[in-house]
Amino acid sequence: MAAHAADPEPVVPPMPERTPRALREAIAQHAPVLLSDFDKHWKRAIADTYDLRPVPAFMARWWTEYAIARDPELDARLHDLELRAAESTDIAEARALLDEAARIRDKALRTEPGE
């Protein structure tokens, strides 16, 4: 089935409140493919250890993952860059591709709640 000009653009959901619970709810609703890994990581790094020190690093990682996954076009772009870099035989090209991927991840990390 072909897309029609009248078809609306997919809406990228806003970022949630910056808490583990809100992030988990957003992942469950908008990027459920990430949920199992999110839960396993939470259990292993936080719940099983009763240590809250890893929470900032945990949130940074999953905030970035969700910020990218919630936007299918951005997610596809990032994966394409990483795949092309992995397959490249030209070190300068691979470095440029990975630099662009890193900029996408950095921007995702800096995305604010509500954006």
Side-chain angles (χ1 to χ4, degrees):
M1 174 182 263
H4 295 45
D7 290 344
E9 289 285 321
V11 176
V12 175
M15 291 299 288
E17 181 181 335
R18 201 181 291 261
T19 66
R21 178 174 297 198
L23 181 56
R24 185 187 187 285
E25 289 172 2
I27 288 171
Q29 184 174 1
H30 302 291
V33 69
L34 299 178
L35 190 58
S36 177
D37 287 341
F38 177 94
D39 286 343
K40 286 176 189 171
H41 188 191
W42 178 265
K43 185 176 185 323
R44 182 182 69 249
I46 315 296
D48 286 352
T49 65
Y50 295 94
D51 185 357
L52 297 179
R53 290 176 297 179
V55 171
F58 176 90
M59 285 297 294
R61 184 220 170 156
W62 288 102
W63 189 263
T64 301
E65 293 298 321
Y66 174 68
I68 294 165
R70 72 192 173 119
D71 182 343
E73 289 181 13
L74 181 62
D75 192 39
R77 174 79 178 131
L78 178 65
H79 289 295
D80 177 63
L81 290 167
E82 292 171 341
L83 180 62
R84 288 172 42 213
E87 294 174 345
S88 179
T89 58
D90 179 335
I91 190 72
E93 177 188 40
R95 182 175 290 128
L97 292 164
L98 291 175
D99 285 347
E100 187 174 346
R103 284 189 294 275
I104 290 171
R105 289 190 177 281
D106 183 60
K107 184 177 179 184
L109 176 61
R110 292 183 285 111
T111 304
E112 293 294 328
E115 289 183 1

